């Protein structure tokens, strides 16, 4: 019984998915299906909150671990899922016959992502990775514009399959060198493994699949294309929910690889990560300067943010991990806000060019204010979480003496001001185009979600203590595993 | 001795099939190359002591996946069409792949793997152990795999169906 | 036969898969390349399972999982390919380059 | 009353006013104005109450603690923050009053006033901040508010471009500041300013001098950006695109003053590093000379004032770097007063004549606006450093601290810069009060409305009496008032007067109004008439040389530096376009680049 309670969040989401599938078979209308899914996701969030304090291993020891870290990440995932579902009741940008299936696939993918945060065994991790990816591949291709949707889906899936094959190949070497697939046993064997170069190469290959989900250079190419060509709610899902899980796994893997005192030279892997982070930040920010599409711009900004996160990740320290968990929560809220605006503005558009935001200030002051808060957050301006979160990320790297890296990161975030401000300029200062002067009226649910997200962004920026402590505790729980 | 010769033959079959599949221009030939490789790999599994996995390889891979590909080819004529083969692309990508191969090969050759005292015999691990493992220790894998497959089927059906709406 | 012989065979398969993915124009042959990569990983798992693993059941289970996932992957990819083909009447990867910049 | 509560009232009232105005009063201009003005008044009263209460203990709460890291939030009540806080609140309030008249016809008044409230909040929060991170947050907010205000008339492309430029250039400086603060926190585990400055246990005892030099120079990068020092100064003249009251606020008590204030705040750290002192001195003196020479050829009234701000900020930094804490702070405060005065006067002219060209203002009868002109002359005289006005005292202290510090070359150059300052200031004054052709009998020229004149008159009086604060300021800062003999003051006075005189020779003398000018200020004439030969030499050699130098530097400024910043943006954008082209849409290239990078990384990992 206790075991069932431990996997309550995943179970709830799975059951909700099955229920939704039942509704699909019964031929219920879009609205009903969506309601069931929404209720299910709320229940899932509740389940996450219930299990927040629990620790244990519901299956054979070593395969699947429930602790504060995993449950915190699951809570974040569930909350993000609720927020994404808020935006996906009947998105006109998708093929009409796929509206009903959208919540079903989102639920399934979230369940996979939740598994990823808890999995402590390589193959379970791989399985969860695939499980979370398959429904998303299918959703992208269900874009109303089939030409665009199929191109985006094909390319995304192709890159995703290659990345996961590389991950699997890397896993095989780790398995071979350590004789096991359990992270805890690998961590225990680390002092011997660490002296083998092949182990570090294998780890790099293994990380490839998760760095791909995070959109770090050189696995970043999909991000702008996929954000651009996906139906808006699906893009929101990819940009928020799946990022969280990828970050969670990266934290876990890196905690295994080099976090405990007894370890070995992870130095070479760190240098590789540093180079990748620098490349990602620079590429992302530079390419974003010339973007004309809002979602593409957010895609490049996501690449840059992947770089910022790896800046802290490579520190291999608990401060760095805490900073990452903290920033992830804030990043999720900021990104969701931006995508929410994209969804609302692009309700009847296949794509959301930046120019479509023109006159947002007049069309919907509420959306404009939300966009302001979200963009400020992404830019890293106080009093949003973007500022304080970046501060923590950079100080983690500095604590480690990575002076030059932080300098590059800080310069990068200075360059980024330019394109973020351009978005705000269009939204606040230009007159709306002739064809879309109408008032935008987001549904009450969207407004509620937006208020919550804005509140989180500001709250974490002004009084970070509460969230910081939770993140720190979660990282302590993560460290206790090994 | 004979076992060594046989396994060497399987290995060569696998590698030759793979290289053939990677380089041959015609799509159908490519799938045939894949089939050869899969067959070789099944042989390797057999040598490595797992007839069950080898059987699965032949059943699912050769019987399922390759056939699905051929079907896909047949459903749409142009899927099968012979595409222009750009020499320069092949050369460049071969260079990239050989770079990777060289790096990994050097690592593999220089690494000392923690070999077991003596390789276990085939009899020690049969179907029962696999089934037992799937249902006890690795039950999340089993559940997850089942979900994955059903998701894939639902998704594939949904995606590939012709659109009902004319709007 | 030594362990590294198997590893090298799998490496050749992996590299051949990479070549196929990077150089072929037909999306189906690219899928073939991915299958080659997955098989390479499977050979590794089986070889390590035979020579080094603590519990020799693990590798077999892993390979079964991989086979299952590969089947699922192929199903989804082929269905996406169908949509692509219907929308464009082409599956040449060099022709689908509308999303860029 | 508890100073902490009072400080919260002082700092957050403008924010409350801002939020209320933004959220509820977008249509009700009058209510919004009243709210902001009321908030400003509360701030002024509170800040002066705090000042009267005198220095007291720092008060702070722990804002965030994690392991070795502890960040706090609170307020400092030492002489520096109390005195400057009062100045900030006062000038912000005066500018708000003035804006009622100046922005009378603007349709977006509410936004404007609300943003003034935001600006006041940010700056006051910065001044009283006790923690470096807290200070940085408010520092960024100051930049943000100024971004909105400079680009207030966003319909003008030049205005939004100027706003972006200001934001970008200061952000580049802020990069250094951010890293400097991060490093300090990493080294010391704290960011509590009094603790960091402590002579026995503070930062100076923890690190070697080399590290300290690095730290303070990083911080100085931020100061260079905010206080517009070479080479990050080009945003400041462009920032004149904003409404003139905003310029007054930006140039006196808020934006640019923030940099100098931070320097004064962290003064002991800078003092501990010889190298840093030298770097600051060199940059400051070069900036002072350069800005002065450029101002000599400008005809845009606001730009002359902008360049003069750059020069005066450089003076403050030089004084602080030379160890003259009192001198630097005094000049900071008094400069805030008379520079606000000058800008408000300029605004009064601009509001009336709707041109920024000072020659045209003069020709169309600028001097008939008597109160404004009086303010301009007194403010200009103060800027030039003429006794007994405010600017004289502070500039005298600045120069004295340079010579006391033993930096004689710098002192000499500063004297020269002071001379140039006087020269171009009075060039400006003469352009307006002594136009090159007789005034037409234009009856429409009249002085501005009382709400505009009120702050001007107030500030004029403050400029006249400003020198009196020297004693009280030294007392509240717990420093000694230095004693100067008349002899040591002489060079400064002479330089200022020489500048005024040369300006007169060049711009006031040769026209029909000559007599009137000499009649108006006969003292000047008598003092200088005994030194004819100096003037001859100047006319023959010096003036031409200086004119040449000014032109060259002006060209460098316009073509190289200014264009350079724009070109930098172009290059960045071009690189961006090139980077985006990597995203070729060809998925195999994506995969191939991934494979190559992974292979190289694998080689690197494997070869170790």
């Amino acid at each position: 019984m206790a075991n069932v309670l431990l996997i309550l969040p995943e179970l709830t989401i799975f059951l909700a998915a099955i229920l939704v599938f039942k509704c699909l078979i019964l031929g219920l209308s879009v609205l009903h299906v969506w309601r069931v899914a929404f209720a299910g996701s709320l229940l899932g969030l509740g389940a996450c909150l219930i299990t927040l304090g629990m620790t244990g291993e519901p299956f054979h020891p070593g395969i699947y671990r429930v602790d504060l870290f995993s449950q915190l990440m699951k809570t974040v995932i569930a909350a993000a899922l609720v927020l994404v579902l808020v935006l996906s009741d009947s998105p006109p940008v998708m093929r009409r016959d796929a509206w009903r299936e959208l919540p079903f696939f989102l639920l399934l993918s979230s369940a996979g992502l939740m598994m990823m945060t808890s999995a402590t065994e390589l193959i379970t991790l791989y399985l969860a990775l695939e499980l979370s990816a398959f429904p998303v591949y299918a959703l992208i291709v269900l874009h109303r514009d089939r030409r665009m949707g199929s191109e985006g889906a094909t390319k995304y899936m192709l890159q995703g399959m290659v990345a996961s094959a590389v991950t699997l190949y890397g896993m095989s070497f780790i398995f071979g060198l350590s004789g096991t697939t359990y992270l805890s046993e690998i961590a225990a064997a680390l002092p011997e493994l660490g002296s083998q170069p092949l182990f570090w190469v294998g780890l790099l290959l293994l990380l490839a699949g998760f760095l791909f989900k995070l959109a770090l250079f050189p696995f970043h190419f999909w991000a702008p294309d996929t954000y651009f060509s996906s139906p808006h709610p699906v893009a929101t899902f990819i940009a928020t929910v799946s990022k969280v899980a990828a970050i969670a796994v990266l934290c876990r893997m890196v905690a295994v690889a080099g976090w405990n005192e007894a370890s070995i030279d992870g130095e070479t892997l760190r240098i590789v990560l540093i180079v990748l982070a620098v490349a990602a930040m620079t590429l992302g920010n530079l390419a974003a300067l010339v973007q004309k599409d809002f979602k593409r711009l957010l895609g490049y900004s996501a690449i840059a943010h992947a770089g910022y996160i790896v800046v802290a990740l490579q520190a291999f320290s608990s401060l760095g991990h805490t900073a990452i968990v903290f920033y992830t929560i804030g990043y999720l809220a900021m990104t969701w806000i931006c995508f929410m605006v994209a969804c609302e503005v692009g309700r009847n558009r296949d794509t959301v060019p930046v120019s479509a935001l023109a006159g947002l200030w007049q069309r919907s002051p509420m959306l404009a204010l939300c966009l302001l808060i979200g963009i400020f957050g992404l830019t890293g301006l106080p009093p949003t979480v973007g500022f304080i979160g970046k501060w923590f990320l950079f100080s983690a790297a500095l604590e480690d003496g990575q002076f030059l890296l932080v300098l590059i990161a800080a310069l990068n975030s200075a360059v980024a001001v330019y394109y973020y401000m351009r978005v705000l300029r269009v939204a606040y200062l230009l007159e709306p185009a002739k064809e879309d002067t109408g008032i935008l009226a987001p549904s009450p649910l969207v407004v509620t979600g937006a208020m919550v997200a804005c509140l989180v962004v500001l709250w974490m920026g002004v009084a970070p203590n509460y969230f910081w402590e939770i993140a720190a505790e979660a990282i302590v729980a993560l460290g206790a595993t090994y | 001795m004979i076992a060594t010769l046989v396994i060497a033959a399987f290995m060569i079959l696998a590698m030759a099939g793979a290289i053939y599949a990677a380089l041959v221009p015609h799509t159908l030939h490519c799938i045939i190359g894949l089939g050869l490789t899969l067959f070789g790999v099944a042989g390797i599994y057999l040598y490595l002591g797992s007839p069950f996995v080898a059987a699965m390889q032949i059943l699912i891979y050769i019987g399922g996946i390759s056939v699905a590909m051929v079907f896909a080819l047949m459903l749409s004529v142009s899927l099968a069409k012979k595409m222009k083969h750009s020499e320069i692309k092949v050369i460049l990508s071969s260079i990239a792949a050989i770079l990777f191969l060289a790096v990994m090969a050097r690592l593999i050759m220089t690494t000392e793997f923690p070999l077991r005292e003596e390789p276990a015999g085939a009899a020690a691990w049969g179907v029962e152990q696999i089934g037992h493992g799937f249902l006890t220790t690795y039950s999340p894998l089993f559940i997850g795999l089942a979900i994955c497959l059903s998701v894939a089927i639902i998704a594939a059906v949904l995606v590939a169906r012709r659109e009902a709406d004319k709007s | 036969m030594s362990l590294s012989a198997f590893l090298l065979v799998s490496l050749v398969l992996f590299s051949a898969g990479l070549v196929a993915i990077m150089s072929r124009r037909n999306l189906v042959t690219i899928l073939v390349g991915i299958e080659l990569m997955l098989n390479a990983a499977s050979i590794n798992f089986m070889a390590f399972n035979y020579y080094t693993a603590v519990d020799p059941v693990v590798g077999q289970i892993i390979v079964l999982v991989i086979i299952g996932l590969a089947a699922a992957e192929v199903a989804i990819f082929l269905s996406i390919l169908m949509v692509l083909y219907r929308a464009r009447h082409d599956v040449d990867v060099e022709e689908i380059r509308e999303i860029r910049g | 009353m508890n100073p902490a509560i009072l400080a919260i009232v002082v700092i957050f009232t403008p924010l409350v006013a801002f939020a209320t105005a933004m959220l509820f009063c977008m249509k009700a201009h009058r209510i919004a104005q009243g709210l902001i003005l009321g908030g400003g008044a509360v701030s002024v009263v509170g800040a002066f109450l705090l000042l009267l209460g005198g220095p007291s203990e720092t008060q702070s709460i722990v804002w965030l603690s994690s392991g070795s890291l502890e960040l706090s939030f609170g307020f400092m009540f030492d002489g520096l923050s109390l005195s400057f806080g009062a100045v900030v609140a006062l000038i912000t309030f005066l500018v708000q009053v003035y804006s009622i008249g100046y922005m009378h016809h603007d349709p977006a008044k509410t936004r404007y006033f609300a943003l003034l409230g935001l600006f006041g909040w940010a700056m006051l929060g910065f001044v009283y901040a006790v923690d470096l991170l807290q200070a940085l947050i408010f520092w960024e907010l100051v930049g943000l508010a100024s971004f909105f205000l400079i680009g207030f008339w966003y319909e003008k492309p030049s205005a939004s471009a100027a706003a972006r430029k200001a934001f970008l250039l200061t952000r580049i400086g802020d990069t250094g500041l951010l890293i400097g603060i991060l490093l300090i926190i990493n080294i010391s585990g704290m960011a509590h300013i009094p603790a960091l400055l402590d002579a026995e246990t503070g930062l100076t005892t923890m690190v070697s001098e080399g590290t300290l030099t690095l730290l303070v120079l990083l911080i100085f990068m931020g100061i260079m950006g905010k206080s517009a020092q070479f080479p990050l100064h080009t945003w400041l003249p462009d920032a004149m695109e904003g409404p003139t009251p905003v310029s007054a606020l930006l140039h006196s008590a808020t934006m640019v003053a923030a940099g100098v204030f931070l320097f004064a705040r962290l003064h002991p750290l800078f003092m501990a590093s010889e190298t840093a002192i030298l770097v600051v001195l060199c940059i400051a003196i070069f900036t002072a000379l350069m800005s002065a020479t450029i101002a000599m050829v400008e005809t845009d009234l606001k730009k002359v004032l902008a360049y003069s701000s750059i020069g005066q900020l450089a003076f403050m930094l030089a004084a602080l770097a030379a160890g003259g804490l009192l001198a630097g702070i005094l000049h900071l405060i008094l400069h805030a007063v008379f520079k606000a005065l000058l800008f408000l006067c300029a605004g009064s002219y601009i509001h009336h004549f709707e041109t920024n060209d000072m020659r045209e203002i003069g020709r169309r009868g600028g001097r008939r606006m008597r109160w404004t002109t009086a303010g301009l002359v007194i403010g200009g005289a103060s800027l030039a450093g003429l006794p007994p006005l405010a600017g004289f005292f502070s500039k005298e202290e600045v120069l004295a601290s340079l010579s006391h510090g033993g930096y004689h070359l710098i002192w000499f150059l500063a004297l020269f810069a002071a001379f140039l300052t006087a020269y171009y200031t009075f060039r400006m004054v003469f352009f307006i009060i002594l136009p090159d052709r007789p005034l037409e009998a234009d009856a429409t020229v009249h002085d501005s409305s009382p709400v505009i004149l009120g702050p001007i008159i107030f500030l004029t009086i403050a400029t006249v009496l400003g020198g009196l604060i020297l004693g009280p300021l030294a007392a509240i800062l717990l420093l000694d008032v230095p004693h100067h003999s008349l002899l040591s003051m002489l060079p400064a006075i002479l330089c200022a007067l020489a500048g005024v005189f040369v300006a007169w020779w060049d711009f006031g003398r040769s026209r029909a109004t000559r007599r009137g000018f000499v009649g108006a200020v006969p003292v000047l004439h008598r003092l200088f008439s005994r030194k004819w030969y100096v003037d001859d030499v100047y006319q023959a050699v010096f003036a031409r040389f200086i004119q040449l130098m000014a032109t060259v530097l002006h060209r460098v400024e316009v073509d190289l530096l200014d264009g350079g910043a724009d070109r930098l943006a172009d290059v960045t954008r071009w690189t961006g376009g090139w980077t985006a082209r990597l995203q070729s849409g060809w998925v195999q290239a994506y995969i191939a680049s991934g494979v190559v990078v992974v292979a190289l990384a694998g080689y690197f990992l494997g070869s170790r």
Side-chain angles (χ1 to χ4, degrees), chain A residues 7-272:
Chain A
I7 54 163
L8 197 59
E10 294 91 325
L11 211 57
T12 317
I13 298 284
F14 265 132
L15 288 179
I18 291 169
L19 205 61
V20 168
F21 190 60
K22 189 80 187 161
C23 295
L24 292 176
I25 293 171
L26 291 177
L28 293 185
S29 72
V30 182
L31 199 59
H32 285 110
V33 173
W34 180 82
R35 278 187 189 144
V36 171
F38 190 66
S41 69
L42 280 179
L43 281 178
L45 181 59
C48 288
L49 291 173
I50 289 172
T51 56
L52 204 53
M54 295 184 182
T55 306
E57 302 196 75
F59 301 107
H60 189 269
I63 288 194
Y64 200 81
R65 189 176 165 79
V66 172
D67 55 18
L68 185 61
F69 176 76
S70 72
Q71 296 315 98
L72 178 67
M73 289 324 238
K74 276 178 209 167
T75 313
V76 176
I77 289 173
L81 173 69
V82 171
L83 285 176
V84 172
L85 279 175
V86 161
L87 297 175
S88 37
D89 46 353
S90 54
V93 72
M94 291 190 77
R95 253 158 63 176
R96 185 170 284 273
D97 59 341
W99 288 5
R100 293 164 69 232
E101 281 87 355
L102 174 63
F104 170 65
F105 284 131
L106 290 183
L107 284 169
L108 276 175
S109 180
S110 307
L113 294 169
M114 285 184 170
M115 281 176 68
M116 261 166 79
T117 62
S118 269
T120 52
E121 193 256 0
L122 292 180
I123 301 306
T124 318
L125 203 56
Y126 176 72
L127 194 101
L129 178 72
E130 295 286 40
L131 176 58
S132 67
F134 288 164
V136 174
Y137 297 147
L139 282 177
I140 298 174
V141 82
L142 294 173
H143 197 288
R144 177 172 67 180
D145 181 348
R146 263 187 303 163
R147 208 174 159 77
M148 189 163 80
S150 58
E151 172 171 351
T154 313
K155 286 186 187 173
Y156 180 43
M157 182 157 186
L158 208 54
Q159 294 170 65
M161 287 192 301
V162 173
S164 69
V166 171
T167 298
L168 198 62
Y169 194 63
M171 280 178 181
S172 73
F173 284 113
I174 302 232
F175 169 66
L177 286 168
S178 64
T180 174
T181 56
Y182 294 176
L183 288 186
S184 52
E185 290 177 20
I186 294 171
L190 205 58
E192 301 146 41
L193 293 177
S195 58
Q196 304 262 34
L198 187 60
F199 171 76
W200 295 103
V201 176
L203 188 64
L204 177 73
L205 296 178
L206 192 161
L207 289 181
F210 303 100
L211 294 177
F212 169 80
K213 263 205 177 328
L214 188 66
L216 187 78
F217 175 88
F219 317 106
H220 67 284
F221 291 99
W222 62 274
D225 289 356
T226 310
Y227 284 19
F228 172 74
S229 62
S230 310
H232 312 322
V234 181
T236 315
F237 184 85
I238 298 170
T240 54
V241 190
S242 69
K243 282 278 152 66
V244 178
I247 292 168
V249 174
L250 283 172
C251 282
R252 215 179 257 289
M253 298 306 299
V254 170
V256 171
W259 194 19
N260 44 12
E261 292 301 318
S263 82
I264 24 50
D265 59 329
E267 282 305 312
T268 43
L269 185 67
R270 281 183 56 179
I271 293 169
V272 170

Side-chain angles (χ1 to χ4, degrees), chain C residues 18 21-25 30 93-94 96-97 99-101, chain D residues 580-581 583-593 595:
Chain C
L18 281 179
I21 290 165
M22 289 189 284
S23 69
R24 309 302 300 267
R25 298 179 68 162
I30 289 176
V93 74
E94 286 189 20
I96 51 167
R97 293 175 61 175
I99 305 171
R100 60 162 120 181
Chain D
R581 226 164 295 149
Q583 194 85 11
S584 56
W586 181 27
V587 65
Q588 289 174 319
Y590 302 171
I591 295 171
S593 49
V595 168

Side-chain angles (χ1 to χ4, degrees), chain C residues 36-68:
Chain C
L36 288 176
M37 287 167 78
L38 289 177
N39 268 284
S42 300
I43 295 179
N44 269 2
F45 275 114
M46 283 302 279
F48 283 130
N49 187 48
Y50 187 76
Y51 287 101
T52 73
V54 180
D55 175 11
V57 173
V58 187
Q60 302 183 61
I61 288 181
I62 292 172
V63 173
L64 288 176
V65 170
I66 294 173
I67 292 175

Side-chain angles (χ1 to χ4, degrees), chain D residues 182-205:
Chain D
L182 274 170
L183 277 175
I184 288 178
I185 292 177
N186 259 309
I187 292 169
S188 66
M190 60 185 172
H192 199 255
I193 295 174
L196 283 173
L197 299 184
D198 194 293
E200 264 103 58
T201 58
L203 189 66
T204 45
T205 58

